[in-house]
Amino acid sequence: MMSRDREDTAGSLSRQASTASSPDSSDPKPANRSKANIRVSLACVQCRSKHVKCDATLPACNRCQQEDKPCFYAKSRRGIRDPKKRSLISDKPPATSAGPIFSTSNFPSAPSSVQSLRDLPGGWTVKSDSHASVSPQSEKELLLDLFYNYLHPSYPCLPPKRFFFNHVESDPDSYHFLLSIINFCGSLYTDQVSSDDLLETACSAACGSLPFTVQTVQGLLLLSITAFGMMRFEHHVGWANRAVTIAVELGMNRKAFADAATDSVLAESYRRTWWCLTLQESTRTLCDVGSAPPITDVDSDVDLPCEEWEYDSGIIPPPISQSQYETQVSQGQSEFSSMAYLIDICKIQADLVVPYHEAPEDKKPEIFERADSRICDWLRRIPKWKMNLVDPDGSVDVILYHGVAIAHVNRLRLRQSAPRSGLNIREYFPLGPAKGPDRKGQLVKTFGWSPNPIEIQAANSYCDLFRRPFPTRSLRSVFAVGTLRVALAYLDACVFLGLDSPVFRERINRLVQILTTHGETWPLSRKVAEDIKFVAKEYLTPRISRSWRPGISESEAWASVPSSLLSEASHLTPNFGFEPYHPVYQVDAWPMNDSWPAALTDIYHA
């Protein structure tokens, strides 16, 4: 099913992907409309997704009855004439009991405790382990809370939780697929509920026929995000493409779509969903994990989102358009929402940073200067109160954190050679850093004047972001992609640039610790942490550092990374490891000191 989606998407985003999704529209149907347009497929959705034979028994096939799985059939255009058979057909998974929060069943039942190894749709393989039982109602509440506590802050496309409750209760059928995805996402953040059965439910639904609705787009978007963090890049591309296709068919790329919503919170959710699709694609492009027609080629006039605290309150101000944003920026205004800033830096990335390495050699200097100056200007424009990354209500501004991190990482990308792109640092690290006119030092005033590469300044500014007290687990699933660039800058400094120092080694160590903690949820971060440690052990000669103590080797010091570090916000204190290093030390006759201020270069001196 996903391969057909990709074929449709490759042809045109504006062409209806009727082979990929149900031909149903999101418009409500009259209650007394005939159900003659429904017929039993050759196999139920469960059997089709597993590519096994189905006997098409009604109302549930024998295989699903034996495995105690929900059995349902996809709609077809041809219909079935026999009214007795029509009455037995269900095109939705059977409902289960609901608790007091939701009036109808929208959550899968508690996971099975049977241990088995099985293949899921599209090549996923999971092992089901026995877990302590959790009551269905408490499980539903737990998973939804975990989703909103950890994943939603970085991808705030769904309505705030209390508004989401109301919409689910008023129209539960429209949220069935989306709720199955939310349950799976929430299960990634707890050991109390097995994610295996929830993953199977989510994959089965995503590979089947889905209605063309906003909730379907949101569910596919969230599933593609988790697939990226789980290193299932083919699935990430397939589900993201399908989400974009349906979104364009619905007209979500148009301002009029959100404006037509009578509920202002829903309208804001629609705008955010479209922008989250564009932000996710920008990450995929940089990582080169799959090809697809770029969403940036789709004509869009969607308004920009509001601030997070306004969204949470439900009091949505009139949105500003993209042209209004550009006009106000040219007039020197800087009071914009964090999402607007994040969208802007991602546009700079897509328009200038990504094309830089692919441009002809004679065009590169011009693109380099334009990209770097645009990033610096973006950093200057953010008001000082927002750069504290703390909202007026006291919560950490995770959205702006991602924007600032992307800005520093893109300054690194411009200065790192094109062959060293992607995620496989073990393979491309020996190629060495880029050379040429962009390999400059800049005078930075510390204790006297000393030349230091801009890469190190950008890397240090990235690390300074971790002074803020927010849980590592709430960072995006693609967090490892930018962190890898920062670690690469420090490794280059130590191995190739003659700047080896205890400070840089310590920072590499700390980045590995953060990635290891983040990797407890996302396998991509765990893999990147392992690769960085491998390269460090391979190329850094042993020396005494702050991670070393008498009686252990350097390799043992690297292996002593505690997995529990940074698991909660309270662990992220200023003494975490990025604190200033006051003693001056000497590296190849270059006096250096790590007690640099947060503002290192001209872009940080407001």
Side-chain angles (χ1 to χ4, degrees):
M1 189 66 67
M2 283 173 47
S3 62
R4 281 183 281 172
D5 288 338
R6 287 195 289 273
E7 293 173 2
D8 293 338
T9 306
S12 171
L13 287 175
S14 61
R15 187 175 67 222
Q16 180 169 351
S18 59
T19 60
S21 303
S22 169
D24 293 352
S25 66
S26 58
D27 298 333
K29 305 293 189 300
N32 59 352
R33 182 172 178 177
S34 171
K35 294 186 178 180
N37 67 329
I38 303 177
R39 80 174 182 91
V40 175
S41 304
L42 294 178
C44 69
V45 172
Q46 292 277 13
C47 292
R48 284 197 309 172
S49 64
K50 297 179 180 179
H51 305 289
V52 296
K53 186 175 181 180
C54 179
D55 58 18
T57 302
L58 296 175
C61 72
N62 290 329
R63 184 182 297 275
C64 289
Q65 292 183 46
Q66 293 174 1
E67 297 181 0
D68 194 23
K69 298 291 184 182
C71 185
F72 55 103
Y73 296 83
K75 290 183 180 180
S76 171
R77 292 180 178 178
R78 295 187 231 172
I80 183 168
R81 297 180 180 275
D82 190 342
K84 293 183 179 180
K85 291 185 177 180
R86 280 207 312 267
S87 64
L88 295 174
I89 297 172
S90 170
D91 63 329
K92 293 185 176 64
T96 56
S97 60
I101 295 182
F102 296 98
S103 57
T104 60
S105 171
N106 302 288
F107 295 91
S109 59
S112 170
S113 60
V114 178
Q115 182 175 356
S116 62
L117 185 67
R118 58 182 181 274
D119 293 331
L120 301 184
W124 293 69
T125 302
V126 297
K127 183 177 181 181
S128 298
D129 298 317
S130 177
H131 283 260
S133 61
V134 181
S135 65
Q137 184 55 37
S138 62
E139 177 185 316
K140 299 170 190 177
E141 297 173 355
L142 172 65
L143 296 178
L144 199 62
D145 286 343
L146 289 170
F147 169 82
Y148 270 95
N149 288 340
Y150 292 109
L151 190 61
H152 179 77
S154 290
Y155 301 95
C157 58
L158 301 189
K161 186 164 62 173
R162 61 190 179 96
F163 297 101
F164 184 75
F165 281 158
N166 295 335
H167 291 299
V168 172
E169 290 179 341
S170 62
D171 186 15
D173 290 341
S174 297
Y175 288 85
H176 189 96
F177 169 66
L178 178 56
L179 286 168
S180 69
I181 305 300
I182 291 175
N183 281 351
F184 165 63
C185 293
S187 69
L188 297 174
Y189 297 94
T190 180
D191 294 330
Q192 299 183 39
V193 179
S194 171
S195 61
D196 297 344
D197 290 325
L198 298 178
L199 173 60
E200 181 176 4
T201 300
C203 288
S204 298
C207 293
S209 296
L210 293 170
F212 275 40
T213 63
V214 175
Q215 291 77 25
T216 295
V217 174
Q218 292 170 335
L220 290 170
L221 169 62
L222 293 173
L223 194 57
S224 72
I225 289 169
T226 59
F228 191 100
M230 299 176 75
M231 300 179 64
R232 303 291 183 172
F233 300 126
E234 181 181 354
H235 303 82
H236 161 76
V237 173
W239 283 321
N241 290 349
R242 191 176 185 187
V244 172
T245 300
I246 297 177
V248 173
E249 287 297 323
L250 291 174
M252 294 183 68
N253 57 313
R254 293 298 181 186
K255 167 185 170 65
F257 183 85
D259 290 348
T262 57
D263 188 316
S264 62
V265 174
L266 279 183
E268 177 70 10
S269 174
Y270 298 164
R271 288 189 286 268
R272 287 166 173 261
T273 300
W274 175 258
W275 286 118
C276 283
L277 286 171
T278 64
L279 298 177
Q280 186 66 10
E281 186 192 87
S282 67
T283 301
R284 176 177 60 190
T285 303
L286 283 175
C287 297
D288 193 24
V289 297
S291 60
I295 195 174
T296 52
D297 290 348
V298 178
D299 188 22
S300 171
D301 59 353
V302 178
D303 290 333
L304 297 175
C306 64
E307 287 284 17
E308 300 310 301
W309 65 83
E310 294 171 331
Y311 191 35
D312 291 339
S313 70
I315 305 175
I316 311 298
I320 67 171
S321 66
Q322 301 176 50
S323 60
Q324 288 175 323
Y325 174 86
E326 294 171 357
T327 300
Q328 293 178 22
V329 167
S330 65
Q331 295 173 350
Q333 299 185 37
S334 59
E335 297 294 333
F336 303 106
S337 69
S338 298
M339 278 285 282
Y341 275 113
L342 177 60
I343 292 166
D344 192 12
I345 191 62
C346 286
K347 283 185 176 181
I348 296 172
Q349 174 179 277
D351 295 342
L352 295 172
V353 178
V354 173
Y356 168 71
H357 288 301
E358 302 173 358
E361 290 299 324
D362 60 331
K363 299 291 185 181
K364 280 188 174 183
E366 178 186 353
I367 299 176
F368 178 91
E369 293 300 331
R370 287 181 59 203
D372 201 44
S373 63
R374 287 277 302 276
I375 296 171
C376 293
D377 179 66
W378 184 91
L379 286 165
R380 286 194 197 98
R381 285 192 287 108
I382 301 177
K384 289 184 178 180
W385 69 269
K386 285 187 75 71
M387 281 297 277
N388 291 330
L389 301 183
V390 179
D391 285 341
D393 62 359
S395 59
V396 175
D397 191 342
V398 179
I399 295 298
L400 189 59
Y401 159 81
H402 290 306
V404 176
I406 289 172
H408 295 311
V409 168
N410 278 318
R411 294 203 81 197
L412 287 171
R413 289 183 186 278
L414 288 171
R415 292 164 172 82
Q416 293 173 344
S417 60
R420 303 171 92 201
S421 60
L423 300 173
N424 192 358
I425 188 175
R426 298 192 189 199
E427 179 178 319
Y428 60 65
F429 181 76
L431 299 177
K435 296 179 175 60
D438 54 313
R439 288 221 32 81
K440 300 175 182 177
Q442 179 167 332
L443 293 180
V444 179
K445 189 171 184 180
T446 56
F447 288 90
W449 292 90
S450 62
N452 295 286
I454 294 180
E455 297 97 306
I456 298 303
Q457 301 170 30
N460 286 337
S461 297
Y462 181 94
C463 292
D464 283 341
L465 295 174
F466 292 100
R467 298 176 185 273
R468 276 72 180 186
F470 56 84
T472 305
R473 301 173 73 191
S474 66
L475 299 177
R476 297 195 299 172
S477 60
V478 298
F479 162 74
V481 176
T483 307
L484 176 62
R485 298 288 109 196
V486 177
L488 180 61
Y490 286 128
L491 287 167
D492 281 345
C494 293
V495 177
F496 297 105
L497 305 182
L499 300 176
D500 193 3
S501 73
V503 172
F504 294 163
R505 289 173 177 249
E506 186 72 13
R507 293 203 167 195
I508 295 170
N509 199 2
R510 299 306 186 192
L511 290 173
V512 169
Q513 294 179 26
I514 297 172
L515 285 168
T516 301
T517 300
H518 196 249
E520 294 175 0
T521 302
W522 303 110
L524 175 59
S525 294
R526 185 166 61 249
K527 177 65 165 57
V528 170
E530 294 170 354
D531 289 347
I532 295 173
K533 289 173 66 176
F534 174 86
V535 171
K537 292 179 181 180
E538 186 76 12
Y539 292 93
L540 293 181
T541 57
R543 62 177 295 163
I544 296 177
S545 68
R546 296 186 68 183
S547 297
W548 179 91
R549 62 181 183 272
I552 68 170
S553 64
E554 183 76 359
S555 60
E556 290 173 333
W558 275 98
S560 63
V561 177
S563 60
S564 60
L565 187 64
L566 305 179
S567 61
E568 295 298 334
S570 59
H571 292 151
L572 283 165
T573 65
N575 295 324
F576 161 65
F578 291 128
E579 67 274 19
Y581 292 80
H582 297 287
V584 180
Y585 51 89
Q586 197 82 7
V587 180
D588 292 342
W590 284 17
M592 300 182 66
N593 183 281
D594 197 64
S595 58
W596 295 337
L600 294 178
T601 70
D602 59 326
I603 67 172
Y604 308 112
H605 289 301

